[in-house]
Short mmCIF file of all heavy atoms in Angstrom, two decimals:
data_model
loop_
_atom_site.label_atom_id
_atom_site.label_comp_id
_atom_site.label_asym_id
_atom_site.label_seq_id
_atom_site.Cartn_x
_atom_site.Cartn_y
_atom_site.Cartn_z
N ASN J 138 -28.83 55.80 23.87
CA ASN J 138 -28.20 56.41 22.73
C ASN J 138 -29.11 57.32 21.97
O ASN J 138 -28.90 57.68 20.76
CB ASN J 138 -27.57 55.36 21.80
CG ASN J 138 -28.50 54.36 21.26
OD1 ASN J 138 -29.67 54.25 21.86
ND2 ASN J 138 -28.18 53.61 20.28
N GLY J 139 -30.19 57.82 22.56
CA GLY J 139 -31.04 58.82 21.97
C GLY J 139 -32.15 58.46 21.09
O GLY J 139 -32.82 59.25 20.54
N LEU J 140 -32.38 57.15 20.94
CA LEU J 140 -33.48 56.71 20.08
C LEU J 140 -34.81 56.96 20.77
O LEU J 140 -34.86 56.97 22.05
CB LEU J 140 -33.39 55.23 19.80
CG LEU J 140 -32.08 54.61 19.22
CD1 LEU J 140 -32.21 53.19 19.04
CD2 LEU J 140 -31.83 55.30 17.90
N VAL J 141 -35.86 57.19 20.02
CA VAL J 141 -37.20 57.25 20.66
C VAL J 141 -37.65 55.83 20.82
O VAL J 141 -37.52 54.98 19.93
CB VAL J 141 -38.21 57.99 19.76
CG1 VAL J 141 -39.61 57.85 20.24
CG2 VAL J 141 -37.81 59.46 19.69
N ALA J 142 -38.22 55.51 22.07
CA ALA J 142 -38.77 54.27 22.40
C ALA J 142 -40.21 54.39 22.84
O ALA J 142 -40.55 55.36 23.55
CB ALA J 142 -37.92 53.55 23.51
N ALA J 143 -41.08 53.49 22.43
CA ALA J 143 -42.40 53.50 22.84
C ALA J 143 -42.92 52.13 23.10
O ALA J 143 -42.55 51.12 22.39
CB ALA J 143 -43.29 54.20 21.74
N VAL J 144 -43.81 51.98 24.13
CA VAL J 144 -44.38 50.68 24.55
C VAL J 144 -45.84 50.86 24.88
O VAL J 144 -46.17 51.85 25.53
CB VAL J 144 -43.65 50.08 25.74
CG1 VAL J 144 -44.21 48.73 26.08
CG2 VAL J 144 -42.13 50.02 25.60
N VAL J 145 -46.69 49.98 24.39
CA VAL J 145 -48.09 49.91 24.81
C VAL J 145 -48.36 48.43 25.21
O VAL J 145 -48.01 47.55 24.52
CB VAL J 145 -49.05 50.37 23.75
CG1 VAL J 145 -50.51 50.03 24.06
CG2 VAL J 145 -48.93 51.92 23.50
N ALA J 146 -49.08 48.29 26.37
CA ALA J 146 -49.44 46.97 26.85
C ALA J 146 -50.90 46.98 27.30
O ALA J 146 -51.35 47.95 27.88
CB ALA J 146 -48.54 46.50 27.96
N ASP J 147 -51.60 45.87 27.00
CA ASP J 147 -53.02 45.73 27.30
C ASP J 147 -53.26 44.49 28.11
O ASP J 147 -53.12 43.38 27.60
CB ASP J 147 -53.83 45.69 26.02
CG ASP J 147 -55.33 45.51 26.23
OD1 ASP J 147 -55.81 45.34 27.41
OD2 ASP J 147 -56.13 45.47 25.25
N GLY J 148 -53.41 44.68 29.46
CA GLY J 148 -53.37 43.51 30.37
C GLY J 148 -54.65 42.75 30.43
O GLY J 148 -55.73 43.21 30.00
N MET J 149 -54.61 41.51 30.88
CA MET J 149 -55.74 40.68 31.03
C MET J 149 -55.56 39.79 32.28
O MET J 149 -54.46 39.53 32.72
CB MET J 149 -55.94 39.77 29.80
CG MET J 149 -54.74 38.85 29.55
SD MET J 149 -54.83 37.99 27.94
CE MET J 149 -53.48 36.88 28.16
N GLY J 150 -56.69 39.30 32.81
CA GLY J 150 -56.68 38.49 34.06
C GLY J 150 -57.79 38.80 34.96
O GLY J 150 -58.72 39.49 34.58
N GLY J 151 -57.72 38.29 36.13
CA GLY J 151 -58.77 38.45 37.12
C GLY J 151 -58.70 39.89 37.73
O GLY J 151 -58.14 40.78 37.11
N HIS J 152 -59.28 40.07 38.88
CA HIS J 152 -59.42 41.42 39.52
C HIS J 152 -58.05 42.09 39.63
O HIS J 152 -57.14 41.67 40.38
CB HIS J 152 -60.01 41.24 40.90
CG HIS J 152 -60.19 42.53 41.63
ND1 HIS J 152 -61.04 43.52 41.19
CD2 HIS J 152 -59.62 43.01 42.82
CE1 HIS J 152 -60.92 44.58 41.96
NE2 HIS J 152 -60.17 44.26 42.96
N LYS J 153 -57.91 43.16 38.86
CA LYS J 153 -56.73 43.99 38.83
C LYS J 153 -55.40 43.26 38.34
O LYS J 153 -54.37 43.89 38.27
CB LYS J 153 -56.40 44.59 40.25
CG LYS J 153 -57.44 45.64 40.61
CD LYS J 153 -56.99 46.36 41.86
CE LYS J 153 -58.00 47.57 42.20
NZ LYS J 153 -57.59 48.28 43.33
N ALA J 154 -55.51 41.93 37.99
CA ALA J 154 -54.36 41.23 37.53
C ALA J 154 -53.86 41.73 36.19
O ALA J 154 -52.63 41.76 35.97
CB ALA J 154 -54.66 39.76 37.42
N GLY J 155 -54.74 42.13 35.31
CA GLY J 155 -54.36 42.68 34.06
C GLY J 155 -53.58 43.97 34.19
O GLY J 155 -52.57 44.24 33.49
N GLU J 156 -54.00 44.82 35.15
CA GLU J 156 -53.38 46.06 35.46
C GLU J 156 -51.90 45.78 35.92
O GLU J 156 -50.95 46.47 35.58
CB GLU J 156 -54.13 46.81 36.49
CG GLU J 156 -53.54 48.10 36.95
CD GLU J 156 -54.35 48.76 38.06
OE1 GLU J 156 -55.02 48.00 38.82
OE2 GLU J 156 -54.28 49.94 38.22
N VAL J 157 -51.84 44.73 36.75
CA VAL J 157 -50.44 44.38 37.32
C VAL J 157 -49.60 43.88 36.16
O VAL J 157 -48.45 44.26 36.01
CB VAL J 157 -50.59 43.27 38.42
CG1 VAL J 157 -49.26 42.76 38.82
CG2 VAL J 157 -51.27 43.87 39.62
N ALA J 158 -50.12 43.03 35.27
CA ALA J 158 -49.35 42.41 34.22
C ALA J 158 -48.83 43.48 33.26
O ALA J 158 -47.61 43.51 32.84
CB ALA J 158 -50.15 41.36 33.47
N SER J 159 -49.68 44.39 32.77
CA SER J 159 -49.31 45.39 31.85
C SER J 159 -48.28 46.35 32.53
O SER J 159 -47.32 46.79 31.86
CB SER J 159 -50.45 46.20 31.29
OG SER J 159 -51.17 46.82 32.34
N GLY J 160 -48.54 46.71 33.77
CA GLY J 160 -47.61 47.57 34.46
C GLY J 160 -46.19 46.97 34.60
O GLY J 160 -45.25 47.69 34.45
N MET J 161 -46.18 45.67 34.96
CA MET J 161 -44.88 45.06 35.12
C MET J 161 -44.13 44.93 33.79
O MET J 161 -42.91 45.14 33.69
CB MET J 161 -45.06 43.64 35.70
CG MET J 161 -45.49 43.55 37.16
SD MET J 161 -45.54 41.92 37.75
CE MET J 161 -43.78 41.44 37.70
N ALA J 162 -44.86 44.64 32.70
CA ALA J 162 -44.22 44.49 31.42
C ALA J 162 -43.63 45.84 30.96
O ALA J 162 -42.49 45.89 30.42
CB ALA J 162 -45.29 44.01 30.41
N VAL J 163 -44.45 46.96 31.10
CA VAL J 163 -44.00 48.22 30.64
C VAL J 163 -42.81 48.65 31.49
O VAL J 163 -41.81 49.18 30.96
CB VAL J 163 -45.11 49.22 30.68
CG1 VAL J 163 -44.58 50.65 30.49
CG2 VAL J 163 -46.15 48.97 29.64
N GLU J 164 -42.86 48.41 32.80
CA GLU J 164 -41.70 48.87 33.71
C GLU J 164 -40.47 48.10 33.35
O GLU J 164 -39.35 48.68 33.27
CB GLU J 164 -42.07 48.61 35.19
CG GLU J 164 -41.03 49.07 36.18
CD GLU J 164 -40.80 50.60 36.08
OE1 GLU J 164 -41.68 51.34 35.64
OE2 GLU J 164 -39.71 51.03 36.54
N SER J 165 -40.56 46.81 33.05
CA SER J 165 -39.41 46.01 32.65
C SER J 165 -38.81 46.55 31.40
O SER J 165 -37.55 46.75 31.28
CB SER J 165 -39.80 44.54 32.48
OG SER J 165 -38.69 43.75 31.98
N LEU J 166 -39.62 46.80 30.44
CA LEU J 166 -39.13 47.36 29.11
C LEU J 166 -38.64 48.75 29.23
O LEU J 166 -37.69 49.11 28.55
CB LEU J 166 -40.27 47.21 28.07
CG LEU J 166 -40.53 45.72 27.60
CD1 LEU J 166 -41.91 45.62 26.92
CD2 LEU J 166 -39.40 45.22 26.74
N LYS J 167 -39.31 49.52 30.02
CA LYS J 167 -38.83 50.94 30.21
C LYS J 167 -37.36 50.89 30.73
O LYS J 167 -36.48 51.68 30.24
CB LYS J 167 -39.71 51.67 31.20
CG LYS J 167 -39.26 53.05 31.55
CD LYS J 167 -40.20 53.69 32.63
CE LYS J 167 -39.73 55.01 33.07
NZ LYS J 167 -40.62 55.67 34.08
N LEU J 168 -37.09 50.07 31.72
CA LEU J 168 -35.79 50.02 32.29
C LEU J 168 -34.75 49.47 31.28
O LEU J 168 -33.61 50.05 31.17
CB LEU J 168 -35.78 49.12 33.52
CG LEU J 168 -36.51 49.69 34.75
CD1 LEU J 168 -36.61 48.68 35.87
CD2 LEU J 168 -35.80 50.92 35.27
N SER J 169 -35.11 48.45 30.55
CA SER J 169 -34.13 47.80 29.64
C SER J 169 -33.92 48.65 28.45
O SER J 169 -32.84 48.87 27.93
CB SER J 169 -34.57 46.41 29.26
OG SER J 169 -35.86 46.41 28.65
N LEU J 170 -35.03 49.33 27.93
CA LEU J 170 -34.87 50.15 26.74
C LEU J 170 -34.15 51.44 27.06
O LEU J 170 -33.47 52.04 26.19
CB LEU J 170 -36.19 50.44 26.09
CG LEU J 170 -36.97 49.26 25.51
CD1 LEU J 170 -38.37 49.59 25.12
CD2 LEU J 170 -36.20 48.78 24.28
N SER J 171 -34.29 52.00 28.27
CA SER J 171 -33.56 53.23 28.64
C SER J 171 -32.06 52.96 28.63
O SER J 171 -31.29 53.92 28.43
CB SER J 171 -34.07 53.58 30.03
OG SER J 171 -35.35 54.01 30.08
#
């Protein structure tokens, strides 16, 4: 409905796990907020 939406996530975990976690969270919210 035209609202501006913004998301920032800072991942944590072992080798590349934080990158996976933040990417999954943002992708989930991007889809639902869209």
Side-chain angles (χ1 to χ4, degrees):
N138 57 345
L140 306 179
V141 170
V144 183
V145 168
D147 178 356
M149 60 187 189
H152 180 62
K153 292 192 176 179
E156 179 185 24
V157 172
S159 62
M161 289 185 67
V163 170
E164 184 62 23
S165 174
L166 287 163
K167 175 182 176 180
L168 291 173
S169 58
L170 292 172
S171 294

